[in-house]
Amino acid sequence: QAGGNPTPTTFVWKKGSATLANGAAASGAVISGATTAMIHIAGVTAADAGSYTVTVGNGVSPDATSNAATLTINPALSTTLAVASKSLTIGVAAVAFTPVTAANGTPGYTYAVTPALPANLTLSASTGAVSGLPTAAATAANYTVTVTDSATATSSMAFSLTVNPAVVATQAVASTTINAGTAITPFTPVTAAG
């Protein structure tokens, strides 16, 4: 906040020792407000990182230069598909897995999934891990995991998930008797489905 008597009338913004001007910067960013109390830099890139100062004057008192403000530019938030597809079975606890991982951006990620996962499966909002004990079959479908960083940047990727019916065993032959020295007629004591 600039003050003084009379009120400041000139403002000169600098990045390091370079005086800034309104318009396109060498980095491609667009600067506005370079001669006002508040500067705006749109479309920043890594090249715009650095120390910024403003020198204010009122035509009477000596000019005053602010302390440096440091602008840090984090790499863009990115996501990686760590598990492209997964098959689970009703009644068998899922070993926790993280289908989509995040990197860069501003740390402090939150995870969300759409559409909702099959019955009794959850996605951790803080780690992105899927876990639970599936209770209903679900055909293969794509689920989109969206990661949001603490600066509200987002990145998304989709993975495929299937929940298979539980395996059911049925006793087909309760018992059989075989005589010594007699060829055995093939039989299947238990059948399975699912």
Side-chain angles (χ1 to χ4, degrees):
Q1 181 76 16
N5 188 12
T7 303
T9 56
T10 63
F11 300 86
V12 177
W13 285 91
K14 292 184 177 185
K15 177 186 173 205
S17 61
T19 300
L20 300 176
N22 291 330
S27 67
V30 177
I31 298 171
S32 61
T35 58
T36 66
M38 185 180 300
I39 194 165
H40 180 79
I41 305 172
V44 295
T45 67
D48 295 305
S51 294
Y52 290 79
T53 58
V54 62
T55 300
V56 296
N58 62 11
V60 176
S61 305
D63 290 351
T65 300
S66 70
N67 291 329
T70 301
L71 176 63
T72 302
I73 310 294
N74 291 328
L77 173 65
S78 62
T79 47
T80 301
L81 187 60
V83 177
S85 64
K86 190 76 167 178
S87 291
L88 303 174
T89 302
I90 291 175
V92 178
V95 174
F97 65 98
T98 304
V100 175
T101 58
N104 300 322
T106 304
Y109 307 127
T110 57
Y111 297 79
V113 64
T114 54
L117 293 174
N120 212 38
L121 293 174
T122 59
L123 178 116
S124 168
S126 61
T127 67
V130 174
S131 61
L133 181 69
T135 57
T139 58
N142 287 329
Y143 296 88
T144 300
V145 175
T146 300
V147 181
T148 304
D149 72 7
S150 61
T152 70
T154 61
S155 183
S156 301
M157 294 208 93
F159 74 104
S160 176
L161 179 64
T162 305
V163 178
N164 296 311
V167 175
V168 177
T170 304
Q171 185 177 29
V173 178
S175 67
T176 190
T177 303
I178 301 170
N179 294 323
T182 305
I184 299 173
T185 303
F187 68 97
T188 304
V190 177
T191 60

